[in-house]
Amino acid sequence: MALSTHREEDFLLKVNNLKTVFVTEDSEVTAVDDVSFTLNRGETLGIVGESGSGKSVTALSIMKLIPNPPGKIVGGQILFNSPTKGIIDLVSLKEREMLYERGNEIAMIFQEPMTSLNPVYTCGNQVMESILLHRKVSWQEAKRITIDLFKKVELPRAESIFNAYPHEISGGQKQRVMIAMAMSCNPSLLIADEPTTALDVTVQARILDMMRHLRDENDMSIIFITHDLGVVAEIADKVAVMYRGKIVEIGDTFDIFNTPQHPYTKSLLACRPRLDIKLKVLPVASDFMNVDMEGVITEKSTEQKYSSVGEALLLNFTDDEEIHERNAYLASQPPILEVQNLKMYFPIKKGLFGKSKEVVKAVDDVSFVVYPGETIGLVGESGCGKTTLGRAILRLIEPTDGQIIFDGRNITHIKKEELRKLRKDVQIIFQDPYSSLNPRMTIGEAILEPMRVNKIYENDFQRKKHTIELLEKVNLSKKHFERYPHEFSGGQRQRIAIARALALNPKFIICDESVSALDVSVQAQVLNLLNSLKEEFNFTYIFISHDLSVVKFMSDRIIVMNKGKIEEIGYAEDIYKSPKTEYTQRLISSIPKGNLEDIRRAQLKRKIKF
């Protein structure tokens, strides 16, 4: 289905055979390899792929922001159809000439707004700087334009945020400030690099709506980079799928979702957790294709499981009877954890004699039970109290009130020595594995250390043997024992964190946003790993996430939290099919689903516009 017909001169950006390399002491790494595509005026191109596929380097090459050395563009053209200068090749422009195009005609929203915004300047001043640099206006006029932009991107209290520093506003608000900065000079092309990755689904939905509105209002073109095909379905007219620096498939969004041709595209579509059906195992890339040592992809062979997305879903489907039988079995057991009227209050203002005048009720009178072998999903927006509840259960922070009963024993007020012994049975996998691993300690030592502290096994030889077994359990190997955390990818570091949590053979594990920063394909591997380990060792999980589709795949029951309280609690399928509260309904409706009918409707609407 063609979106619309465009004349040859209608293109805004044409990338021809682009090649970008990074030169190291030992070798030359090709990050972007012979990439070509065309973006017409008013269109949105989604670029998808895993980390390391070349998405961001392609965007930085277009902006000419590749640090040289070690990186450089060694081939190809980047033709930009400038409204003022006509067709120019950005590759040939000098830095002084590129300064005019960058920000004025081409703008970029970077992946992490906190590191993109300067912490010592107010949000307003940072947006004004771009306006004063590119537009001939007074300081007062630049301030007025900035506040208008803040209102346009739906920032609350625009005047207050103008004077606020980045650390004083939320992640979603920082992302809106970045969008306002990018829009400040009315660019013809906006490049958005993973602009919604770390955001709650409700905030993500509002950001996507806003970007669609700004695109249509200003007749702007967008390159939207993400690893999530569900997000791309919400906003893109065309999709380019990248793998190891190459575009392996490109086409209209509907065609890519309806009839994907490349096995890698099929794997990306299949590995997303789904809301409409319950899957036993999430498909992964290796189920669809072989990749040799040279990175050459071959089609499905006898070793691969699936030839299509539909086949992958059909063969992994769990029927309702299986789900009901499991739920009935779990509920027939005495609970392993009982949380009774738990409260976690933080004082924010104190009176004359040090007494608290105001408190934040992070966890407010929460009660629930968890059965042995069960996975309880804890879901809600940032700030709802999920992580605080998890840490309070583990006694990493001291509860204000209430009781925590683990394995029939009240652990709410046990002493430090008893608490240390309890740690063998109760573990946590943190959101950011890199910050939870000691950068000066090899990963083998990091896994072995808890066993040494808790005197598990008689000597380090036996502990090392068990550590290597754990590494192999999480699909790493013996050779990784002596390596340091910085030598691993994000997905591998998460596997290391899982292995460390398993070292003491716990009964109960809390996973705190443990897959939120991973690519969908790596995320699928880690989720499958957590489930297979649960079956093997009979763990009990509390799985914390803001992504309801991930929580639904993992969980037997789901607790929805909002403002420190439980909105509702129920079986995972029931929560999705018939949510009882308006808040839960809003969470579910905000999730990008990538349904073919929704894509068709959006494309037809855009076609009418053209």
Side-chain angles (χ1 to χ4, degrees):
M1 175 182 136
L3 181 69
S4 59
T5 54
H6 290 273
R7 295 171 300 174
E8 178 67 21
E9 61 270 22
D10 281 341
F11 82 86
L12 179 70
L13 183 76
K14 188 176 286 188
V15 176
N16 295 324
N17 310 112
L18 179 65
K19 186 173 183 179
T20 303
V21 301
F22 288 87
V23 180
T24 66
E25 291 181 1
D26 303 323
S27 63
E28 182 178 280
V29 178
T30 303
V32 177
D33 190 4
D34 198 28
V35 163
S36 300
F37 62 84
T38 299
L39 179 67
N40 294 311
R41 295 186 191 279
E43 274 188 337
T44 298
L45 171 69
I47 301 181
V48 299
E50 297 170 289
S51 295
S53 63
K55 309 185 301 294
S56 294
V57 179
T58 299
L60 292 171
S61 298
I62 293 168
M63 294 290 289
K64 292 196 73 177
L65 290 174
I66 298 292
N68 185 10
K72 58 181 177 179
I73 298 171
V74 295
Q77 294 177 309
I78 305 171
L79 302 178
F80 179 66
N81 197 347
S82 169
T84 55
K85 299 179 180 178
I87 298 173
I88 52 176
D89 184 1
L90 300 181
V91 174
S92 64
L93 293 186
K94 293 182 171 59
E95 178 59 23
R96 181 172 48 80
E97 298 171 304
M98 191 64 200
L99 277 175
Y100 173 83
E101 305 299 331
R102 193 188 299 136
N104 205 38
E105 297 287 358
I106 308 171
M108 186 165 179
I109 304 167
F110 294 94
Q111 182 170 356
E112 180 45 68
M114 190 65 217
T115 56
S116 302
L117 292 170
N118 192 324
V120 301
Y121 290 102
T122 65
C123 297
N125 277 331
Q126 295 186 61
V127 177
M128 278 180 60
E129 181 184 23
S130 177
I131 295 168
L132 291 169
L133 181 64
H134 291 285
R135 298 167 69 172
K136 295 178 181 178
V137 296
S138 65
W139 190 94
Q140 289 80 7
E141 178 66 7
K143 181 178 179 180
R144 184 194 65 77
I145 294 169
T146 299
I147 291 173
D148 285 347
L149 281 166
F150 283 177
K151 290 176 181 176
K152 187 176 281 190
V153 298
E154 300 176 23
L155 277 167
R157 306 179 310 281
E159 290 81 1
S160 298
I161 288 181
F162 181 91
N163 294 311
Y165 290 88
H167 72 273
E168 297 179 298
I169 60 177
S170 71
Q173 289 172 336
K174 283 193 277 280
Q175 198 61 277
R176 289 165 190 264
V177 170
M178 289 296 298
I179 293 171
M181 188 185 299
M183 297 298 300
S184 61
C185 296
N186 297 319
S188 303
L189 173 62
L190 176 66
I191 301 173
D193 186 7
E194 301 270 13
T196 62
T197 296
L199 303 180
D200 297 326
V201 286
T202 48
V203 178
Q204 174 180 272
R206 292 196 293 272
I207 294 287
L208 291 175
D209 275 340
M210 183 183 62
M211 291 184 71
R212 278 191 291 261
H213 175 72
L214 292 171
R215 172 194 66 190
D216 296 341
E217 187 181 73
N218 298 300
D219 196 29
M220 178 177 65
S221 299
I222 297 176
I223 294 176
F224 194 98
I225 297 168
T226 183
H227 61 253
D228 189 343
L229 274 162
V231 171
V232 159
E234 297 279 308
I235 195 168
D237 303 311
K238 297 189 297 189
V239 178
V241 182
M242 289 193 72
Y243 183 75
R244 295 194 177 187
K246 294 179 179 289
I247 291 180
V248 295
E249 185 166 1
I250 188 167
D252 287 349
T253 304
F254 183 85
D255 295 336
I256 293 290
F257 275 74
N258 187 39
T259 53
Q261 300 300 308
H262 196 276
Y264 181 64
T265 310
K266 295 174 186 176
S267 73
L268 287 182
L269 285 166
C271 72
R272 294 181 302 138
R274 298 180 66 94
L275 284 168
D276 52 347
I277 58 174
K278 177 79 170 178
L279 296 176
K280 295 174 183 175
V281 179
L282 288 173
V284 294
S286 59
D287 293 334
F288 289 86
M289 63 186 192
N290 281 328
V291 183
D292 65 18
M293 296 297 291
E294 304 298 320
V296 177
I297 299 169
T298 56
E299 293 287 341
K300 181 182 183 294
S301 65
T302 53
E303 288 80 25
Q304 271 64 63
K305 294 181 180 178
Y306 315 119
S307 60
S308 69
V309 177
E311 184 183 10
L313 301 180
L314 185 64
L315 295 178
N316 270 308
F317 178 76
T318 305
D319 62 39
D320 290 343
E321 188 175 340
E322 289 178 79
I323 296 169
H324 292 322
E325 284 179 5
R326 174 172 169 78
N327 289 337
Y329 165 72
L330 292 169
S332 69
Q333 306 172 92
I336 190 172
L337 176 73
E338 296 177 68
V339 176
Q340 300 174 357
N341 308 108
L342 194 67
K343 297 178 182 178
M344 192 69 239
Y345 296 172
F346 295 100
I348 54 172
K349 282 188 179 180
K350 292 193 174 181
L352 184 63
F353 299 104
K355 292 185 177 180
S356 297
K357 289 176 65 178
E358 290 185 29
V359 295
V360 172
K361 297 181 179 181
V363 178
D364 192 9
D365 200 27
V366 166
S367 301
F368 62 94
V369 298
V370 185
Y371 299 107
E374 184 177 34
T375 298
I376 282 276
L378 201 53
V379 70
E381 296 173 290
S382 295
C384 72
K386 309 184 300 292
T387 295
T388 303
L389 175 58
R391 288 171 183 252
I393 290 169
L394 290 172
R395 291 280 310 278
L396 295 174
I397 51 177
E398 293 300 320
T400 305
D401 197 7
Q403 290 189 321
I404 305 160
I405 300 168
F406 178 74
D407 214 8
R409 180 187 178 196
N410 192 330
I411 65 168
T412 317
H413 302 295
I414 59 174
K415 304 297 183 188
K416 284 187 177 179
E417 184 61 29
E418 292 177 285
L419 193 58
R420 190 175 70 81
K421 292 176 183 177
L422 180 73
R423 298 282 184 236
K424 288 192 288 186
D425 292 328
V426 184
Q427 288 287 304
I428 184 169
I429 302 169
F430 292 100
Q431 178 173 358
D432 182 0
Y434 192 68
S435 62
S436 65
L437 292 169
N438 188 332
R440 297 181 179 182
M441 187 180 285
T442 66
I443 62 116
E445 275 295 313
I447 297 168
L448 186 146
E449 184 186 37
M451 291 187 275
R452 186 185 292 140
V453 170
N454 287 277
K455 297 181 172 57
I456 294 176
Y457 296 110
E458 294 179 1
N459 52 54
D460 277 359
F461 176 80
Q462 291 177 328
R463 293 177 190 122
K464 182 174 181 179
K465 182 181 176 184
H466 185 57
T467 299
I468 292 168
E469 289 172 358
L470 288 171
L471 286 173
E472 290 171 350
K473 283 279 184 199
V474 297
N475 298 327
L476 295 171
S477 67
K478 179 180 179 179
K479 66 181 181 182
H480 293 125
F481 186 95
E482 299 293 341
R483 294 187 185 177
Y484 290 86
H486 71 272
E487 299 180 77
F488 296 89
S489 69
Q492 287 174 321
R493 284 197 288 266
Q494 199 59 276
R495 292 169 187 272
I496 294 162
I498 292 168
R500 186 176 59 177
L502 299 180
L504 302 179
N505 195 23
K507 297 178 182 178
F508 192 92
I509 298 177
I510 293 180
C511 304
D512 185 8
E513 298 275 13
S514 52
V515 296
S516 61
L518 303 180
D519 296 325
V520 285
S521 52
V522 179
Q523 175 183 275
Q525 294 169 19
V526 173
L527 293 177
N528 288 339
L529 174 64
L530 288 170
N531 274 338
S532 66
L533 290 170
K534 184 176 83 167
E535 292 300 317
E536 184 175 349
F537 296 103
N538 197 31
F539 297 138
T540 304
Y541 286 134
I542 288 182
F543 193 90
I544 300 171
S545 179
H546 61 258
D547 188 339
L548 190 56
S549 57
V550 169
V551 168
K552 181 177 176 289
F553 169 73
M554 289 294 293
S555 305
D556 299 296
R557 287 187 298 146
I558 292 175
I559 297 172
V560 181
M561 285 192 71
N562 182 26
K563 296 179 180 177
K565 291 181 176 289
I566 291 179
E567 279 278 328
E568 63 179 291
I569 181 169
Y571 292 116
E573 297 300 313
D574 296 340
I575 290 281
Y576 171 67
K577 290 176 182 175
S578 53
K580 294 181 176 64
T581 68
E582 185 181 335
Y583 178 77
T584 309
Q585 291 168 7
R586 183 157 56 86
L587 275 183
I588 292 170
S589 65
S590 299
I591 298 169
K593 298 175 181 64
N595 295 332
L596 289 176
E597 279 308 308
D598 292 342
I599 298 170
R600 188 194 297 275
R601 199 177 299 114
Q603 287 216 319
L604 287 173
K605 188 176 178 181
R606 295 274 291 136
K607 189 176 180 181
I608 291 168
K609 176 187 176 295
F610 279 114

